[in-house]
Amino acid sequence: MRVTSNMIMRNYTSRLNNLLSDMSIANEKVVSNRKFLTAAEAPADAAQAYLLRRQMQNNSDYLENVKSMKDVETCMESSMMDIKSIASQANDAILQSGGTLQKSDREILATQLDELQQSMVASANSQFQGRFLFGGSSVDDVPFQLKDGVLTFRGVDVNAEPGTPDYEKLQAMASETIYSDLGLGMNVDLGSAGGTTADKRIITPGSAYNSAMPGIKFLGFGQNEKGDSNNLILSLGEIATALRADHYDADRVTQLGKKLEGQTNSLLANITQMGSNSNFLDTTQKRLENNAFNLTKKINNVEYDDPAAQILDFKQLDYAYKAALQMGMNILSPSFIDFMR
Amino acid sequence: MIRSTFYGFSTALSGMLASQNALNVTGNNMANVNTDGYTRQRLNIHSLAAGLGDRYVSQNTFSIGQGVGMSGVSQLRDPFLDIRFRTEASGVGELDSWLSGMQDVSAAFDETQQASFLNALSDFRTQLQKLSGAANQKEMDTIVRSSAETLTKLLNQYANQLSNIREQQEDSLKDTSIPQVNDILEKIAKLNESIAESEMSGNPALELMDHRNSYLDQLSTYMKINVEYTPVKISDGVTLQKMVIRFAEDPADPMKFNIPGGIDDPDSAAKGYMLLDGNTHATLSVSKNEEGITQIFSDWANANLTGTAGGSKPVALSFAGGSLRGATELLNKNGEFDTASNSPRGIGYYQKMLDVFARDFANTLNKANLVENPDFDNNKDESPDNRKYLGGPLFTVNTQPADPTDKLHHPDDYDDAITAKNIGVSQNWLSGQYGITNTAKDPNIGGGDDSGANDNILYMISLLDDKRIFEASNIMQNASAAVQAVKGVYESSNKLPDYGATVLNNGDTLSFSVNYNNQKGGHSQTATVTLTYRDGFLYGAGGSKYPAVTGTDAGHTVNGDRLTDAVMGELSKSGDFRDNFTVSKGTDGKLVFTAKAGGTQGGQVIGLEMKHTNFNTVSGLETAPSLTKPFDAFHTLDFGAGFAIYDSADADKEKSIFTINGQKFAFVKKGTDLRDLNKAGIRAVEVNGDAITSDEVERMAVQLRSTGLTVNLTDPASLKLTVERETLDIGTANIPTGFDKKTPATKGVYQSGTISSGFTAQDGDQFGLSLTYRNDKGDLQKVNLNLTYQTKTADGTPLTSPVLMGPDGRTYKVTSSPMSRNTVLDAIQKELSEHNPSLAANFDVTSDGEKLSLTAKTAGTGGASVESLELNVSTERTQADAFLGGGTGTVTNTTVGAEGYQTSDLSQFTPYDGTNPEKAVFTIDGKSYAFVPSDSKLDSPSNGITLIKMGSTAGPVTADDVKAFVKTADPAGTSITSSGTSIKLPLDQSVTKGSSRELYNGTFEQFFTSVGITASQDVSSKTSELKNHISLLNGASTQRDSVSTVDLSEEGASLLRFQKSFSAAARLMTTLDEALDTIINKMGVVGR
């Protein structure tokens, strides 16, 4: 092919131009340490980077949730431990009283039980960050109220007989839930709850973490077959009443004491359950922290590059550019005319 | 041949002249070495032959050439390379202009270095997560709200950015590209004229051609052009090349314009649409039509082969390449939103995608924020005080003022008007009228709010995380509104008549029932209204009261209009029915039901029925039963029967202590230390003698009473006491003889009142017993027994004697007329005692021929008891016989207007020009149709769309056009009829508007990411395409340079060459001169 000096000149300048723009991009990459500067440069990498960022954000949401759940659990556990120790105190007092007691002694013991009962109610109404811990899904109103020997949970008599509408309400309240999304693959259905046709948001248990602990769930509600209360707080009241009775019946007190002990044990079982929940939260936290670490690593891999390699790339281009400049002097070489006499 | 003496001189002269001219051309080439567009020139030379031969051929005769001749100067140019160059230039131009806009779009979405929208979306989710942990805290709702505001503002900003990019592109097209193209065309036309003039005077005008070529090169970046040269003979010996420029049409473009005489005109051999013809040219202009489509017009609209001026038509969509095509595609094409497959994604695509996002996002969350109100009273109309749904929309159009507080919200409210540009947080949310609804659970189990419940917040989070399908149809606003089916209207054939034939009694009921299919697809639903007559009024459910009589006819005659009012009032309260129909009074007071939804999806009335139940008071069967209650528990203490007296000395003394309800009692011997007994908690009565007397029994009664027992001294003589108490625990140990604790209590006897004798029954009358009782376990039980008086079997065969039909087809013969009360009572007695085992286990049922008696089988309070007993007789008459007195007509359903759909005005459709199908295409039963202008060259079907030619070249669609459509769509003329500019369709056909296309399946975040990534992918792939075109262009350019540019070395060589040839010619001259000199001067000296 015929090669003319004009042709060489044009090609040379356009190539020099390309080199310069390549060098400018390489320079920007070195400065930002990024693998790509715009999504258009590497669409697939950009898509992956967005995905990883999203996962990272979700992960940190979950982590926040776990941490706040742990705080709540700790508080719940300590309040439940308080209640447990009050119950133990009551048990001790009853055991120490032995069989026969003078009326005055009984009154003292009964008063003591009254006080313990009050402080148990106080513990059951504990708050954390402005929320009542044991109110089920109601967190703004005081859950337990004890008045004239009647204990109500959110206005419903805790001592309701099985089968009554009140008892059904208590059952419903005892199974109330407040879920928290910990990244367990939360699933919410628009099923209809309880046979009604209304749309409900039903969270698949296990797909999220239930942090609600309605007080009556571990303190008990309803009555046993003898008509005595299943509730721990009311049990204290029953014993106090039995102690104050004109016809003091030691057997009954012993029997109520036994019931109290049983209730204390079931409370303990609930506390233990709480402990294993804490373990679960710890494990989840660790898992999420690991995730965060891995995700950071992945983000680094996808979005950022080895600075050494980037600098080397830049140097290479720089070298090529300089070489091209140098060559330019030679390309515009003399033509035949220079050699004519 | 004798040659002339000076023949050689002219040969030498021609050589010298040619060399001199060649040197001049070389000089010109060298001078223009850096001139843009200069094509190297060459002197065309040829050898000259030696004139004519001799008259006679001789062996010794030959001729010698006469030297060199010059025929002109020409350019070294390869037309094929020009075509290649210009093709590539148009490719580069197209991609370059497309990319210039698209790079801006991609940059707007690019979040690699600066996170913006995706961050805001994540933040919204994060704030919802935080709210879920603190659902009771109002300030958390505010934080979510500000996050939502950021989100909406960013969306507005994105939309504005895209609008700006569009405007910039429009401006650059209008203010730069099009004027430039016109300018180039003008210059070429002028040059053509100059070249022609110059050539006519014999001057080849090579430099002007160079200019023209470089303008053609420039023009080729704007559009793909074909340049043709036609020889035109001016005079003998003068032939000019006339230039014609056409732009090439894209044969693959489905939107091509079909120019008459153009590439796809079968009548034309021409390729392309004429832009320039010699020294005249078309002028392009650009404008935007009312639908926002940018169109490039040419004023040579009718130009084909001949270049006729006149008319003005959009042409740009037909360009096969070039930056004008790139720019119009960028502005007009919408990718997946267009029906044509593989439509490029222009700015419109991204604008529409953003709108889809904004609309789906807003409406999804708005819907999720509405939860059913558990306190909604289904029997009352929906009102601000009786809301069916709680909560309200979170996002609205940002200019929309706050909704009034009494606005009712529904989950199917879909705000079509929301776009990315106008989305905003609703004013009601901002003003705190409502916030994010935290729960959908039934509130108020017990006291306390559900302030901590967060199920609905979690639901919203899950909506953000859930995959959904984004569809293109959501964006076709105009489309979905255009076709709407008619709503079914149903009218009763008769109005409800006055009820005057039979006197109404208090307690009589009128029941009106509607059988219908509902919108949700529920078949044969029944809504029944029951109205009970009492003292001139009709009473409905929930105690609503309607006047039944007019003015003076207070004599138990129900007025038809009043009855209609009552029925309407009650129907409009009936939950599901009310959701499906509105009820109104039609002509002549007939009842009219209008479906709330149109088409087959709407409700349909199947049938109407009116019934009348006569509550009969003749028989006295309703007489309240008398109930004999059983006594409470009895225990007899017979102290006279060997009852022991406590003696402290007696070893067996404990045996004489008896315990009642835990309290110990004893008769003690006189002189016993009562203090010891008191200490032991024993209540004692001293016995004076050796035996217990009535006096002491009386004192024991006092002691017993003091513990709360009811004690009766029934028989002092026998020293007996009866103790009456619900529970009496005497225990089992130490029971002295004389305690008759087994004494049974009385059994409860329950009796109905006396039933009147003789009842004239009619077929279908019902005798009913409803009985509520408690069984011996205390459970409440209910028995409903119906006996139907029948004179014929179910299939209408008359019976030999009438029967009372009980449950399970059991019959009891009726022997007398009027029927005796014995018959009814016997039947009831048999039913209860033989066919109701659980009742029979608790009661003996007997009848004495006048009354019904139930006697509990177990005595005392532990036994069964009757709570209520009711006997009645009701006679039910359908309207035909009782209401109209065997009269005329029934109330049945008549369907008016529901035989099909009626579409709204089809003139709303834009004629289809191959673009914007969402405004032009409608679908009936899965088939797509569109109207096209009469001069359209689109072939039907185009892209699967059946085209209907209109009568005019432009819209709107006329009634005749619609008739033409009906002919095409329904050749048999059986299902579709036209009605003005709308059409009617049968119910079983479905009508949709526009085509819907799945755009994306994923979460909101993924969808938005994919939009940005799509832009960058498009840019990325088009950039490499551009690079490819550029390198091809470079190749073509290099090749062209190789042929046409000046090379100094070459010219230097030419310089030498022509200098040498000149020298040689000069030398020849010298040689000849010398030769002549020899001849003239040196020869002929003989004799000197």
Side-chain angles (χ1 to χ4, degrees):
Chain A
M1 187 171 86
R2 184 171 168 268
V3 177
T4 70
S5 45
N6 265 358
M7 227 165 89
I8 296 175
M9 258 316 274
R10 207 175 39 74
N11 282 341
Y12 171 70
T13 42
S14 89
R15 281 189 189 134
L16 202 63
N17 219 344
N18 285 348
L19 265 177
L20 200 59
S21 88
D22 284 355
M23 206 161 73
S24 141
I25 292 170
N27 177 30
E28 248 188 280
K29 280 186 184 170
V30 170
V31 175
S32 67
N33 192 24
R34 299 189 55 86
K35 265 189 185 165
F36 50 93
L37 299 169
T38 63
E41 218 174 301
D45 282 353
Q48 207 190 348
Y50 293 159
L51 174 77
L52 288 170
R53 285 184 204 172
R54 182 163 69 235
Q55 286 176 347
M56 189 72 181
Q57 182 59 42
N58 288 356
N59 199 69
S60 79
D61 286 353
Y62 299 143
L63 208 52
E64 281 293 305
N65 282 351
V66 170
K67 282 178 187 159
S68 76
M69 279 306 107
K70 276 175 77 173
D71 291 347
V72 172
E73 298 276 89
T74 312
C75 253
M76 281 186 176
E77 205 174 328
S78 89
S79 293
M80 283 163 77
M81 284 305 286
D82 285 351
I83 295 173
K84 196 248 148 193
S85 76
I86 295 167
S88 303
Q89 272 181 51
N91 254 331
D92 291 351
I94 294 159
L95 285 177
Q96 277 165 16
S97 70
T100 49
L101 275 176
Q102 290 303 314
K103 175 116 182 121
S104 58
D105 293 342
R106 284 192 274 135
E107 185 54 42
I108 291 166
L109 187 51
T111 314
Q112 195 187 345
L113 287 179
D114 282 349
E115 278 160 10
L116 289 174
Q117 194 186 22
Q118 283 302 337
S119 54
M120 209 180 259
V121 171
S123 288
N125 285 340
S126 359
Q127 272 180 290
F128 177 65
Q129 290 175 338
R131 291 159 69 93
F132 286 99
L133 286 173
F134 301 118
S137 63
S138 166
V139 295
D140 278 348
D141 293 346
V142 186
F144 287 100
Q145 272 178 328
L146 182 64
K147 217 182 208 173
D148 304 331
V150 175
L151 181 70
T152 55
F153 180 70
R154 280 159 60 181
V156 180
D157 188 351
V158 171
N159 208 14
E161 262 183 74
T164 57
D166 269 0
Y167 187 80
E168 276 158 21
K169 280 186 192 166
L170 289 170
Q171 271 186 322
M173 286 193 283
S175 54
E176 272 179 350
T177 52
I178 297 181
Y179 283 102
S180 179
D181 185 10
L182 303 186
L184 307 172
M186 186 173 70
N187 183 34
V188 185
D189 276 342
L190 292 180
S192 42
T196 65
T197 51
D199 275 353
K200 295 292 161 213
R201 324 299 198 210
I202 297 165
I203 294 138
T204 311
S207 75
Y209 180 79
N210 178 17
S211 66
M213 178 53 94
I216 48 172
K217 191 173 165 188
F218 61 87
L219 290 172
F221 59 93
Q223 301 179 354
N224 63 13
E225 62 286 351
K226 287 182 190 145
D228 292 332
S229 175
N230 284 335
N231 183 278
L232 186 58
I233 297 174
L234 284 177
S235 288
L236 293 185
E238 280 173 343
I239 296 171
T241 314
L243 286 169
R244 286 202 177 94
D246 290 342
H247 304 295
Y248 173 59
D249 185 347
D251 288 349
R252 175 156 168 78
V253 172
T254 317
Q255 178 207 337
L256 288 172
K258 280 231 173 84
K259 189 184 71 165
L260 181 68
E261 216 175 296
Q263 286 167 340
T264 314
N265 283 338
S266 81
L267 170 63
L268 204 58
N270 271 306
I271 295 174
T272 318
Q273 175 62 39
M274 197 65 106
S276 75
N277 285 355
S278 302
N279 279 342
F280 169 76
L281 288 177
D282 281 340
T283 327
T284 310
Q285 186 178 354
K286 267 192 201 126
R287 181 174 60 81
L288 290 171
E289 277 163 357
N290 276 339
N291 268 357
F293 179 71
N294 285 334
L295 284 169
T296 317
K297 234 166 61 179
K298 275 192 196 162
I299 288 174
N300 258 321
N301 281 341
V302 172
E303 295 202 48
Y304 298 99
D305 211 348
D306 179 14
Q310 283 181 325
I311 291 168
L312 209 63
D313 282 351
F314 177 71
K315 278 280 166 202
Q316 199 82 35
L317 284 166
D318 185 46
Y319 177 73
Y321 182 64
K322 281 183 179 146
L325 283 179
Q326 201 119 42
M327 285 297 292
M329 300 300 288
N330 299 328
I331 284 172
L332 303 177
S333 61
S335 67
F336 173 72
I337 290 170
D338 297 275
F339 300 98
M340 279 168 66
R341 271 179 296 120
Chain B
M1 191 188 85
I2 306 290
R3 48 177 283 175
S4 79
T5 310
F6 300 109
Y7 185 90
F9 279 104
S10 48
T11 304
L13 183 65
S14 77
M16 276 164 73
L17 274 177
S19 299
Q20 221 161 15
N21 277 330
L23 275 173
N24 284 341
V25 172
T26 307
N28 192 32
N29 279 346
M30 285 167 79
N32 280 304
V33 68
N34 287 323
T35 308
D36 249 357
Y38 179 78
T39 309
R40 74 187 162 112
Q41 297 175 0
R42 179 175 68 177
L43 184 69
N44 299 331
I45 47 176
H46 54 269
S47 57
L48 292 172
L52 296 165
D54 281 352
R55 176 175 297 210
Y56 305 104
V57 180
S58 148
Q59 240 188 351
N60 300 323
T61 314
F62 53 89
S63 65
I64 298 162
Q66 291 184 30
V68 62
M70 292 172 287
S71 61
V73 181
S74 66
Q75 290 182 317
L76 283 164
R77 202 171 178 93
D78 184 345
F80 167 73
L81 288 177
D82 279 342
I83 292 171
R84 243 194 86 188
F85 178 88
R86 285 169 193 157
T87 305
E88 291 309 327
S90 75
V92 169
E94 179 183 354
L95 286 167
D96 208 35
S97 86
W98 192 88
L99 270 173
S100 74
M102 217 50 207
Q103 265 161 350
D104 290 348
V105 172
S106 166
F109 282 97
D110 198 338
E111 300 201 9
T112 41
Q113 302 217 61
Q114 199 98 51
S116 72
F117 185 81
L118 291 173
N119 237 26
L121 196 57
S122 279
D123 184 63
F124 182 65
R125 186 181 178 281
T126 303
Q127 300 312 335
L128 277 178
Q129 287 276 18
K130 284 191 179 150
L131 179 66
S132 84
N136 60 326
Q137 283 168 26
K138 192 88 188 118
E139 60 272 23
M140 280 311 300
D141 186 70
T142 317
I143 293 171
V144 176
R145 196 181 66 201
S146 7
S147 181
E149 273 187 279
T150 314
L151 198 73
T152 55
K153 291 210 169 115
L154 275 173
L155 270 177
N156 302 156
Q157 204 182 315
Y158 273 65
N160 284 333
Q161 231 167 325
L162 291 183
S163 300
N164 287 344
I165 295 170
R166 178 183 281 279
E167 267 171 44
Q168 282 163 17
Q169 292 293 324
E170 281 167 0
D171 287 351
S172 108
L173 193 62
K174 196 175 166 190
D175 301 338
T176 318
S177 304
I178 295 295
Q180 233 152 26
V181 170
N182 288 333
D183 189 41
I184 292 170
L185 287 171
E186 174 74 21
K187 279 176 174 153
I188 295 176
K190 287 255 166 70
L191 280 169
N192 278 343
E193 203 171 333
S194 308
I195 291 169
E197 279 171 11
S198 171
E199 279 186 343
M200 261 191 287
S201 52
N203 191 337
L206 296 180
E207 282 69 25
L208 295 180
M209 283 184 189
D210 280 345
H211 282 167
R212 193 173 65 179
N213 273 330
S214 69
Y215 284 129
L216 285 173
D217 286 354
Q218 279 181 40
L219 188 61
S220 71
T221 63
Y222 290 101
M223 61 189 85
K224 195 175 171 193
I225 49 172
N226 294 326
V227 182
E228 289 164 23
Y229 299 94
T230 335
V232 178
K233 198 174 170 187
I234 301 295
S235 61
D236 285 343
V238 182
T239 301
L240 296 183
Q241 299 286 326
K242 188 185 171 196
M243 176 191 256
V244 168
I245 303 177
R246 298 169 191 279
F247 71 76
E249 281 186 87
D250 177 7
D253 193 338
M255 297 188 192
K256 68 194 168 197
F257 187 67
N258 296 288
I259 300 128
I263 192 168
D264 37 41
D265 185 343
D267 306 331
S268 166
K271 300 284 172 236
Y273 178 63
M274 194 177 281
L275 268 180
L276 181 137
D277 184 16
N279 57 357
T280 53
H281 67 94
T283 306
L284 300 186
S285 61
V286 61
S287 68
K288 212 157 107 171
N289 69 7
E290 66 278 4
E291 282 148 24
I293 308 286
T294 301
Q295 289 173 311
I296 296 176
F297 291 86
S298 160
D299 62 350
W300 275 15
N302 302 326
N304 43 42
L305 285 173
T306 54
T308 323
S312 185
K313 271 188 184 168
V315 292
L317 292 171
S318 300
F319 293 144
S323 69
L324 294 185
R325 178 188 166 107
T328 44
E329 280 196 337
L330 185 73
L331 291 172
N332 297 338
K333 299 269 178 122
N334 305 311
E336 278 83 342
F337 291 91
D338 297 331
T339 36
S341 48
N342 298 327
S343 176
R345 288 180 278 263
I347 298 173
Y349 170 80
Y350 295 95
Q351 289 180 314
K352 289 183 178 190
M353 284 299 254
L354 273 185
D355 289 346
V356 167
F357 178 89
R359 195 171 295 128
D360 271 18
F361 183 79
N363 284 303
T364 305
L365 287 172
N366 286 355
K367 187 176 175 184
N369 204 42
L370 289 181
V371 297
E372 291 195 25
N373 182 5
D375 296 332
F376 176 66
D377 184 349
N378 209 27
N379 292 319
K380 282 192 202 149
D381 274 341
E382 224 182 321
S383 72
D385 300 325
N386 184 36
R387 282 174 189 275
K388 195 162 183 185
Y389 297 97
L390 300 174
L394 300 174
F395 299 97
T396 57
V397 172
N398 54 15
T399 50
Q400 185 174 314
D403 286 334
T405 46
D406 58 358
K407 166 131 189 191
L408 299 172
H409 301 291
H410 285 94
D412 5 323
D413 296 344
Y414 190 91
D415 196 344
D416 246 348
I418 293 177
T419 63
K421 207 165 196 166
N422 66 19
I423 187 175
V425 168
S426 87
Q427 289 297 322
N428 295 45
W429 191 13
L430 285 172
S431 65
Q433 190 187 315
Y434 48 75
I436 288 191
T437 313
N438 65 325
T439 179
K441 80 181 247 215
D442 290 339
N444 311 327
I445 306 175
D449 47 6
D450 275 314
S451 55
N454 60 0
D455 45 309
N456 199 41
I457 302 170
L458 293 183
Y459 174 59
M460 285 189 186
I461 294 173
S462 80
L463 284 177
L464 293 181
D465 291 347
D466 279 352
K467 289 194 168 176
R468 63 187 51 256
I469 290 172
F470 295 87
E471 279 186 348
S473 66
N474 292 351
I475 204 119
M476 298 180 182
Q477 289 180 55
N478 299 351
S480 60
V483 174
Q484 203 165 33
V486 150
K487 292 163 179 177
V489 179
Y490 303 85
E491 196 179 40
S492 62
S493 59
N494 296 334
K495 67 175 274 187
L496 295 177
D498 291 348
Y499 176 52
T502 311
V503 171
L504 275 182
N505 296 308
N506 282 350
D508 280 6
T509 57
L510 303 169
S511 64
F512 181 88
S513 51
V514 189
N515 196 0
Y516 66 99
N517 296 337
N518 69 14
Q519 292 170 32
K520 292 171 193 151
H523 287 286
S524 280
Q525 310 287 312
T526 307
T528 303
V529 169
T530 307
L531 295 160
T532 309
Y533 178 83
R534 187 163 291 122
D535 300 332
F537 287 95
L538 287 168
Y539 291 83
S544 41
K545 183 176 171 186
Y546 307 92
V549 295
T550 49
T552 51
D553 69 340
H556 310 318
T557 305
V558 172
N559 175 283
D561 285 333
R562 294 281 166 95
L563 178 60
T564 310
D565 287 341
V567 166
M568 278 168 58
E570 285 298 294
L571 274 180
S572 62
K573 283 197 292 182
S574 167
D576 184 59
F577 185 80
R578 185 192 49 207
D579 290 346
N580 284 279
F581 298 95
T582 49
V583 189
S584 56
K585 225 189 255 186
T587 48
D588 308 329
K590 289 175 186 174
L591 278 171
V592 176
F593 307 94
T594 310
K596 285 194 172 174
T600 40
Q601 302 308 308
Q604 288 164 277
V605 171
I606 304 167
L608 306 172
E609 195 183 9
M610 185 91 202
K611 268 188 180 174
H612 162 228
T613 304
N614 197 356
F615 195 87
N616 212 308
T617 52
V618 214
S619 68
L621 270 175
E622 79 286 0
T623 312
S626 66
L627 304 176
T628 315
K629 269 203 143 191
F631 285 110
D632 282 343
F634 287 84
H635 286 262
T636 309
L637 312 176
D638 189 354
F639 297 110
F643 214 82
I645 297 170
Y646 181 85
D647 185 352
S648 55
D650 192 347
D652 257 358
K653 63 189 173 192
E654 291 294 333
K655 280 202 167 171
S656 52
I657 299 171
F658 61 97
T659 314
I660 296 175
N661 286 354
Q663 178 62 51
K664 292 174 178 171
F665 300 90
F667 288 99
V668 301
K669 214 175 159 184
K670 195 170 171 124
T672 313
D673 192 341
L674 290 178
R675 282 174 306 173
D676 283 350
L677 288 171
N678 280 343
K679 244 184 213 169
I682 301 168
R683 301 201 170 192
V685 170
E686 268 188 339
V687 180
N688 284 323
D690 289 335
I692 300 164
T693 65
S694 60
D695 190 32
E696 284 130 13
V697 170
E698 236 171 273
R699 279 193 285 137
M700 179 53 85
V702 173
Q703 285 285 359
L704 289 169
R705 280 183 193 127
S706 73
T707 64
L709 296 169
T710 311
V711 181
N712 295 314
L713 261 157
T714 48
D715 191 357
S718 61
L719 303 181
K720 277 182 186 168
L721 280 179
T722 52
V723 180
E724 194 181 310
R725 215 187 170 205
E726 288 227 6
T727 55
L728 199 61
D729 183 12
I730 298 174
T732 48
N734 301 336
I735 304 173
T737 47
F739 268 46
D740 182 9
K741 75 171 187 140
K742 283 181 187 152
T743 305
T746 319
K747 292 170 179 176
V749 178
Y750 304 86
Q751 213 166 36
S752 74
T754 307
I755 292 161
S756 321
S757 180
F759 178 72
T760 315
Q762 287 187 23
D763 190 55
D765 289 355
Q766 292 202 325
F767 297 85
L769 166 100
S770 78
L771 167 68
T772 321
Y773 71 94
R774 262 181 213 285
N775 67 13
D776 50 9
K777 293 184 189 80
D779 305 327
L780 206 61
Q781 306 286 326
K782 221 169 172 169
V783 178
N784 279 316
L785 176 65
N786 268 325
L787 296 165
T788 314
Y789 183 85
Q790 289 186 335
T791 55
K792 47 186 188 267
T793 59
D795 55 19
T797 322
L799 294 164
T800 45
S801 70
V803 291
L804 282 176
M805 171 78 80
D808 301 328
R810 289 185 290 274
T811 51
Y812 305 91
K813 256 194 185 155
V814 180
T815 47
S816 59
S817 181
M819 186 170 63
S820 84
R821 59 188 168 201
N822 239 334
T823 315
V824 182
L825 285 173
D826 281 354
I828 291 175
Q829 191 264 334
K830 285 218 171 66
E831 278 294 326
L832 293 182
S833 57
E834 289 170 21
H835 301 292
N836 193 331
S838 47
L839 179 90
N842 286 284
F843 294 99
D844 288 322
V845 185
T846 51
S847 148
D848 62 358
E850 290 184 351
K851 297 172 187 166
L852 190 71
S853 297
L854 291 112
T855 311
K857 288 198 170 169
T858 320
T861 43
S865 62
V866 171
E867 301 272 316
S868 74
L869 175 66
E870 206 184 322
L871 290 163
N872 59 42
V873 56
S874 63
T875 54
E876 195 173 78
R877 314 274 189 256
T878 57
Q879 198 218 1
D881 52 351
F883 216 86
L884 297 171
T888 54
T890 51
V891 180
T892 53
N893 67 308
T894 312
T895 314
V896 178
E899 73 273 16
Y901 299 98
Q902 181 159 7
T903 64
S904 57
D905 205 353
L906 288 186
S907 64
Q908 291 179 30
F909 292 93
T910 312
Y912 184 58
D913 62 357
T915 62
N916 287 60
E918 76 267 22
K919 289 189 176 131
V921 179
F922 53 97
T923 310
I924 292 172
D925 240 12
K927 277 191 207 123
S928 298
Y929 302 92
F931 291 101
V932 291
S934 55
D935 58 350
S936 168
K937 286 230 164 177
L938 288 180
D939 284 331
S940 182
S942 163
N943 290 313
I945 302 163
T946 305
L947 303 177
I948 317 294
K949 275 241 165 103
M950 297 167 39
S952 60
T953 51
V957 174
T958 63
D960 283 342
D961 295 337
V962 173
K963 275 183 193 155
F965 157 73
V966 172
K967 237 180 185 176
T968 314
D970 181 28
T974 49
S975 54
I976 308 177
T977 51
S978 69
S979 159
T981 48
S982 59
I983 50 170
K984 281 182 177 172
L985 300 164
L987 265 177
D988 57 357
Q989 296 206 354
S990 72
V991 181
T992 53
K993 177 64 205 304
S995 53
S996 92
R997 192 175 292 197
E998 184 177 327
L999 294 172
Y1000 191 76
N1001 183 357
T1003 66
F1004 284 116
E1005 219 158 355
Q1006 286 170 344
F1007 176 69
F1008 196 88
T1009 309
S1010 89
V1011 176
I1013 293 294
T1014 307
S1016 42
Q1017 257 164 353
D1018 279 357
V1019 168
S1020 171
S1021 70
K1022 294 261 176 168
T1023 305
S1024 32
E1025 223 177 294
L1026 177 65
K1027 275 185 184 157
N1028 187 31
H1029 273 290
I1030 287 177
S1031 80
L1032 285 174
L1033 182 67
N1034 273 338
S1037 181
T1038 305
Q1039 278 192 331
R1040 212 165 60 154
D1041 282 2
S1042 158
V1043 173
S1044 300
T1045 56
V1046 177
D1047 181 58
L1048 283 178
S1049 299
E1050 202 177 77
E1051 299 305 324
S1054 301
L1055 213 57
L1056 269 186
R1057 201 148 53 91
F1058 295 125
Q1059 193 212 345
K1060 291 288 177 210
S1061 68
F1062 181 79
S1063 303
R1067 186 79 215 158
L1068 176 62
M1069 189 75 90
T1070 319
T1071 308
L1072 286 173
D1073 180 48
E1074 279 173 7
L1076 211 56
D1077 184 54
T1078 306
I1079 294 169
I1080 296 171
N1081 296 324
K1082 305 270 173 70
M1083 282 170 72
V1085 290
V1086 179
R1088 206 182 3 177

